[in-house]
Amino acid sequence: MKFSEKWLRELVDPATDTQGIADQITMAGLEVDEIVPVAGQFSGVVVGEILSAEPHPNADKLQVCQVTDGSETFQVVCGAPNARGGLKTAFAKVGAVLSGADGSDFKIKKAKLRQVESYGMLCADDELGISDDHGGIMELAGDAPVGTCLREYLSLDDAVIDVDLTPNRGDCLSITGLAREVGVLNKASVSFVEAEVVAPTIDDTFPITLEDPEGCPRYQGRVIRNVNMAAETPLWMVEKLRRCGIRSIDPVVDVTNYVLLELGQPMHAFDLNKLSGGIVVRKAAPGEKLMLLDGNEAQLNDNTLVIADNKKAVAMAGIFGGEETGVTADSKDIFLECAYFNPISIAGRARSYGLHTDASHRYERGVDWQLQRKATERATRLLLDIVGGEAGPVIEAVSEAYLPAAATVTLRQSKVNQVLAFEMPALEIEEILTRLGMTLERSGDGEWTVAVPSYRFDISIEIDLIEELARVYGYNNLPVKVPTAELNMIADDESEVSLKSVRAQLVGRGYQEAVTYSFIEKGLAAQFDDKHEAKALANPISAEMAVMRTTIWPGLVKALQYNQNRQQSRVRLFETGQRFLPEGEQLIQENVVAGLICGPRQSEGWSADAASVDFYDLKGDVESLLALGGCSEQFSFVAERHVALHPGQSAAIKRNGDTVGYMGALHPELIKSLGLSGPVFLFEIVQAVLLDGGLPRFTSLSKFPESRRDLALLVDESVAFADIRAIAQQQGGEYLKAVTLFDVYQGKGVEPGQKSIALGLTWQHPSRTLNDEEINEVIDFVVSALKNEFGATLRV
C-alpha cells in the first residue's frame, strides 16, 4: 500500500523524519519497499494564468501565450494542445531550475522559438516529476491563487511510502490503521477521523434483502438525491488519491476511494435510477453474466457472491461494480453501499476472474466488521460537501448470527516472560496493549483478560498478544541470550555405514545420482511390481503421475529413456529415496537404494573395450556396496523371478536368508514397450540393510605362508558356485581363508549337461606352517562332501 507522509502526519506527527518512520514500521513487521518523493526537485515554478493563446506565426503546432504570475505578464511559446485562455497552470519563469530526465538540473532561460521570443515555460506533469503524464500542460483548479509557489500550493514537499503488508495485517490497509501503528510505536497521540452523523433530510429508502447472510452478514445503504456530478473533486482530495496510486475519476467515485484509503472500508455508489426494486445480496445464478466497469463481461460462477436488484446482478460483491448501474456524469440520484463480507466468501474469487481490486485486496484479508456505519457517515458528509444533494436515512440489513464475535484472550505474564526470555514489567504490558486499542482487565495475579478490538481480527490466542508485545517493544530491543547446556559428544556407531559412503561408492564406480518423481503412471507401476497395488493420488498432477511408486525403477528407466532419446548411450544412474508400499490401511514408506546401467562397459576411447555391460558388471557393483559394512559373507544371490526382470537373469539379494532386494536384466518386453536400447540392468536394495554393518575388530596377521590347492570339478550345469563354496567353507576347516572361482568351462572334453569349475582354496595357520598331510586331509573332506552333495568328480 502506498501512502502520503503528509497525510499520515495530519493524524499523527512523530518526532522523526521520513526514513525514521520507514525504519520504525519495518522493524514492527510492516516492510517498506520504497520511499519516493511526490515530485522532482525544481524551483522557481509558480501558479500562472494564461490570459490568451494565439497561433504561432511560423509554426502550426505552437501557440504564443500571454501568461501572468499575478504581478507581471510574460510572453511564452507553448506547444501543448490544451493551452488556452483562462487556464491556470504551472509556470516556470526565467531562472527556474528543473530536473532533467537524466537527473541533471537545467535552468530556464529566455529563448527564441521560430523567431518569437519566449520568457519561461508552461510545464506538464512529467516535466516536474509529478507523474508520467505528458499529454499537455498541467491544468490547475480555477481558484488556484496566481503567483503562488507551485510546491507550496500542491504541498509537493512530501514523500510516498510503499508498504508491503503481510496478509494478517489488513488493519493497516488504511491511513487510519497506519497512523494508529505509528502512534503506538512512538507513544504519540493520534487524531482519529471523526465521522459526523448526517441527519437525513429526506425519507427516501431502498429495500435490502440478505439471501446469503453467511457471506454478507451486514449491508448498509443510503439514498442521496439531486447530486451535482458537474462539481469538481477538491484539489486536496485529488492529490491524496494520486499519491496513494489512485487517479481521480469523478467526485462520487473519488469520495468512495478516499474513504477506502482513509478508513480501510471499501464502498460503492450505484445510480439509483438504474436499480430495480431493491438490493438483493445472493450467490450468482448458473450462467449469469455481468458487464463490469472496465468494459469486460464476466461469466459468473455459482460460488460468487453478487449484489443484485430485483432483475439482475449489478456488482460482484466486494470485488467490482457493474457498468450498467455505475454512476455517470448524467446521474442525479445515487445509492451509496457499505458492507461487511466474510473474507472466506471473497477469498480467491477475484483471481478466478483474472481481477485484483483495492476492494478485494481488503475484503480477502478482513475488514473491521464494526466500521460500516462510520464509513457511511463519513462518505455522506464528504459527498454532500462536494456534490451537494439530500441524504435519506441509513438502511441496514444485518444477521447477528453470522457477524464475528469480539475476541477475548487470556494473557499470562509468566508466558510473556518465557517466550520473550526476559521479565517485561506488568505496567509496560498494560501500556502497550492499551495503546494498541485493547481493553485489559486483571483476572488474577499476573494474568489479564484482554478484549481485542474488532479491527484486529488477526488476534485470537495468547501467542498473538505476545507477538504484539515483542513487535511494539522492538525486536531489536529484546535481550540476546545464548542457551547453556551440557552437550555430550554423540557416540559414532562404527557398525553403521553412512548413506554418504554408499553414494560415494556408486559415484566412484561411475554412477551419477538422479532424483526422480515419487509419482508414476499407474500402468507403469503394475509393469514393475505385481506384488503391490500402488496407492492412487486423490488429486494427481497428471495421468503420468497418478500413483505413488512402489519401486524406484520406473523413474530411473524413464530417466534412461530421456537420455537415450538424446544420443546418450552409456548411462549409469542411482537414486536413494522412498518407495511407498500399501499394507492394509497403512502406507509404509521404505528407503531404498536403486541403480541402473546400460551401454558400453567403458567410456569411449582409443584403448577402451567396446563391449557392453552385462549381469556381472552390475553384480560387481552391488557386491562392492554390500562389502561396505564388512558383512559381505552374510549376503547371497539366489536366482528368483521378478516381473520386471529377464527370467534367466534375475536374482534376489538375500541377507541371512531374508530377501532385501533384487537385481537383474530388464525384461525384454519392457525394453520393447518403452522403446529402449538394451540390454538394461537394475538393482534395488533396502537402504537400512546396506547401512547396517558389522563392528570392525582387529585380527593379527599371520607371519606364516599360505598354502593353496586348485581343484577342477565336474558338476551338473545347474549347480551354483555359491552352493559349492558353502560346502567347501563348511568342510575346509578353521584355517581355510578363501575359496576362489577362477574358471568355468563347458565344451570339448566335458559331457553335455555338465560344466567344469576350477576352484582355488587357500589355507593359512596363525602360528605355524601347514604341512602337506594336513592340507591333503582337508582336501579329501571337501571333495568327498562335494561328491555326496552334488555328484562332483575331479576332472582328470
Side-chain angles (χ1 to χ4, degrees):
M1 173 184 168
K2 295 180 179 180
F3 68 92
S4 160
E5 182 189 356
K6 276 189 176 293
W7 192 0
L8 177 72
R9 289 187 182 274
E10 290 177 11
L11 276 64
V12 59
D13 193 9
T16 184
D17 60 7
T18 307
Q19 189 60 51
I21 292 176
D23 292 343
Q24 283 181 345
I25 60 180
T26 295
M27 287 303 297
L30 313 179
E31 184 181 355
V32 173
D33 282 345
E34 66 174 348
I35 304 172
V36 295
V38 300
Q41 293 299 317
F42 62 84
S43 61
V45 182
V46 300
V47 177
E49 182 178 4
I50 301 176
L51 300 178
S52 65
E54 303 294 337
H56 192 289
N58 302 319
D60 294 337
K61 295 184 179 180
L62 298 179
Q63 296 186 78
V64 180
C65 302
Q66 300 300 318
V67 183
T68 179
D69 65 355
S71 59
E72 191 176 351
T73 300
F74 302 88
Q75 178 174 285
V76 179
V77 177
C78 178
N82 62 331
R84 60 188 183 275
L87 176 66
K88 291 185 178 179
T89 187
F91 176 35
K93 300 168 67 174
V94 172
V97 178
L98 307 183
S99 293
D102 58 356
S104 61
D105 294 340
F106 67 92
K107 194 172 185 179
I108 301 299
K109 300 177 181 179
K110 182 178 70 172
K112 183 177 288 188
L113 301 175
R114 294 290 184 94
Q115 291 80 49
V116 176
E117 291 185 330
S118 179
Y119 298 87
M121 174 180 172
L122 302 180
C123 303
D125 285 52
D126 67 331
E127 291 165 333
L128 300 177
I130 294 176
S131 73
D132 296 330
D133 184 14
H134 193 68
I137 58 176
M138 289 183 67
E139 296 195 15
L140 302 176
D143 60 355
V146 178
T148 303
C149 174
L150 188 71
R151 295 195 75 89
E152 295 178 4
Y153 173 63
L154 295 179
S155 299
L156 295 179
D157 292 323
D158 188 11
V160 172
I161 302 176
D162 191 357
V163 180
D164 186 13
L165 298 172
T166 52
N168 65 312
R169 292 309 306 272
D171 63 296
C172 289
L173 285 169
S174 67
I175 291 293
T176 298
L178 288 168
R180 183 189 300 116
E181 194 75 8
V182 172
V184 169
L185 297 174
N186 290 277
K187 299 183 179 181
S189 60
V190 182
S191 301
F192 290 107
V193 176
E194 296 295 333
E196 172 194 345
V197 176
V198 177
T201 55
I202 58 175
D203 296 329
D204 296 17
T205 60
F206 200 65
I208 301 169
T209 303
L210 297 181
E211 289 188 2
D212 188 352
E214 184 176 1
C216 177
R218 172 175 284 147
Y219 189 97
Q220 291 181 354
R222 191 171 213 164
V223 173
I224 303 177
R225 294 194 179 276
N226 301 319
V227 297
N228 176 21
M229 292 302 295
E232 290 187 0
T233 305
L235 176 66
W236 60 267
M237 183 177 288
V238 172
E239 277 297 298
K240 285 181 176 179
L241 293 174
R242 181 183 69 81
R243 295 174 197 189
C244 293
I246 297 178
R247 64 183 180 88
S248 175
I249 298 175
D250 62 53
V252 174
V253 175
D254 291 348
V255 166
T256 58
N257 284 335
Y258 181 82
V259 173
L260 170 101
L261 294 173
E262 184 180 59
L263 300 179
Q265 173 66 56
M267 302 185 73
H268 184 66
F270 297 100
D271 188 322
L272 180 63
N273 298 316
K274 297 176 182 177
L275 296 174
S276 175
I279 290 292
V280 181
V281 185
R282 58 172 174 81
K283 285 289 198 306
E288 193 168 10
K289 297 181 180 180
L290 174 66
M291 184 64 71
L292 303 175
L293 283 169
D294 61 1
N296 293 318
E297 186 178 63
Q299 180 81 32
L300 301 176
N301 302 321
D302 57 8
N303 66 345
T304 301
L305 193 65
V306 298
I307 310 301
D309 59 13
N310 289 352
K311 293 183 178 179
K312 59 191 177 302
V314 296
M316 293 171 65
I319 301 175
F320 219 149
E323 183 180 56
E324 188 176 340
T325 56
V327 175
T328 65
D330 299 325
S331 298
K332 296 296 182 185
D333 306 317
I334 64 173
F335 179 73
L336 188 65
E337 75 156 14
C338 186
Y340 170 75
F341 298 111
N342 186 330
I344 300 300
S345 66
I346 305 298
R349 302 299 190 276
R351 288 189 295 278
S352 68
Y353 294 100
L355 299 172
H356 181 79
T357 63
D358 289 324
S360 67
H361 187 75
R362 285 161 175 79
Y363 277 127
E364 287 180 339
R365 286 154 178 76
V367 170
D368 184 355
W369 52 278
Q370 293 185 346
L371 184 61
Q372 288 69 49
R373 171 69 70 160
K374 181 176 181 178
T376 300
E377 298 290 359
R378 176 64 170 159
T380 302
R381 181 74 275 162
L382 290 169
L383 284 171
L384 295 180
D385 291 344
I386 297 171
V387 298
E390 301 167 299
V394 176
I395 317 114
E396 180 179 74
V398 62
S399 174
E400 297 289 347
Y402 290 108
L403 282 174
T408 302
V409 182
T410 299
L411 177 66
R412 297 163 293 168
Q413 187 168 12
S414 59
K415 187 66 173 179
V416 174
N417 297 341
Q418 176 190 348
V419 174
L420 300 186
F422 83 107
E423 293 188 9
M424 180 177 282
L427 289 177
E428 185 154 13
I429 292 174
E430 293 176 353
E431 192 248 346
I432 289 175
L433 294 181
T434 301
R435 281 191 281 127
L436 285 167
M438 303 180 196
T439 304
L440 284 77
E441 181 179 335
R442 283 189 176 270
S443 54
D445 186 19
E447 188 173 295
W448 298 269
T449 299
V450 182
V452 180
S454 57
Y455 53 80
R456 288 307 303 269
F457 30 80
D458 60 313
I459 296 177
S460 58
I461 58 176
E462 184 179 31
I463 199 67
D464 294 334
L465 293 174
I466 297 174
E467 181 186 359
E468 290 300 294
L469 292 172
R471 196 174 58 80
V472 176
Y473 183 81
Y475 294 122
N476 53 330
N477 295 324
L478 294 175
V480 177
K481 292 186 177 181
V482 179
T484 57
E486 294 183 4
L487 302 178
N488 297 321
M489 295 292 290
I490 299 175
D492 186 10
D493 188 353
E494 295 183 51
S495 67
E496 185 176 326
V497 179
S498 70
L499 186 57
K500 181 179 180 182
S501 298
V502 172
R503 290 185 173 124
Q505 179 72 9
L506 288 168
V507 170
R509 297 182 75 88
Y511 287 74
Q512 295 187 12
E513 186 169 10
V515 179
T516 63
Y517 287 109
S518 298
F519 310 139
I520 60 175
E521 186 180 352
K522 184 177 181 180
L524 199 61
Q527 288 178 291
F528 277 86
D529 185 359
D530 59 349
K531 295 181 180 179
H532 304 96
E533 184 176 354
K535 181 73 173 179
L537 297 176
N539 187 23
I541 300 172
S542 65
E544 289 74 26
M545 296 184 179
V547 298
M548 304 185 76
R549 67 188 182 190
T550 59
T551 170
I552 291 181
W553 284 348
L556 290 177
V557 170
K558 281 289 187 181
L560 170 65
Q561 183 185 57
Y562 183 90
N563 279 273
Q564 286 189 345
N565 289 341
R566 286 154 183 80
Q567 292 80 49
Q568 297 297 316
S569 59
R570 187 176 189 270
V571 178
R572 291 171 177 253
L573 298 174
F574 80 93
E575 180 175 1
T576 60
Q578 289 186 329
R579 61 184 181 186
F580 306 90
L581 306 177
E583 189 172 296
E585 296 297 321
Q586 295 184 329
L587 193 66
I588 306 300
Q589 300 182 50
E590 186 174 47
N591 290 311
V592 293
V593 178
L596 171 151
I597 61 174
C598 180
R601 179 175 290 122
Q602 297 178 350
S603 298
E604 185 178 7
W606 65 273
S607 63
D609 185 354
S612 295
V613 292
D614 59 23
F615 180 90
Y616 294 102
D617 289 302
L618 184 71
K619 186 170 183 281
D621 293 338
V622 172
E623 286 179 328
S624 74
L625 290 181
L626 302 179
L628 289 175
C631 302
S632 57
E633 73 281 356
Q634 298 178 9
F635 292 91
S636 61
F637 298 87
V638 179
E640 188 173 311
R641 285 178 175 268
H642 188 286
V643 67
L645 300 178
H646 191 295
Q649 299 185 58
S650 171
I653 304 170
K654 295 181 179 287
R655 183 173 189 176
N656 296 326
D658 297 327
T659 301
V660 296
Y662 284 91
M663 63 164 287
L666 186 63
H667 200 290
E669 289 184 1
L670 275 174
I671 291 178
K672 182 179 180 181
S673 65
L674 294 172
L676 299 173
S677 298
V680 180
F681 300 92
L682 312 97
F683 74 87
E684 186 173 73
I685 310 172
V686 175
Q687 181 178 301
V689 175
L690 275 181
L691 304 187
D692 181 23
L695 187 66
R697 295 187 182 278
F698 172 75
T699 302
S700 61
L701 298 176
S702 176
K703 300 178 182 179
F704 297 92
E706 295 178 343
S707 297
R708 172 168 169 154
R709 297 289 187 274
D710 292 343
L711 297 175
L713 301 170
L714 290 173
V715 296
D716 189 90
E717 63 181 359
S718 63
V719 176
F721 165 70
D723 297 330
I724 293 175
R725 181 177 59 183
I727 295 296
Q729 288 174 334
Q730 180 182 353
Q731 299 295 325
E734 61 178 317
Y735 305 127
L736 179 66
K737 288 188 61 179
V739 179
T740 306
L741 173 68
F742 64 87
D743 185 42
V744 178
Y745 173 73
Q746 285 180 290
K748 185 178 180 180
V750 176
E751 293 293 330
Q754 287 193 318
K755 61 184 175 182
S756 172
I757 291 181
L759 302 180
L761 289 82
T762 304
W763 288 268
Q764 186 179 34
H765 197 285
S767 59
R768 62 182 178 84
T769 302
L770 293 170
N771 56 48
D772 289 342
E773 290 77 8
E774 291 174 308
I775 299 296
N776 292 336
E777 182 180 0
V778 177
I779 285 287
D780 290 340
F781 286 143
V782 171
V783 172
S784 177
L786 291 174
K787 181 178 181 179
N788 293 334
E789 186 71 24
F790 306 114
T793 59
L794 290 174
R795 183 182 175 192
V796 180

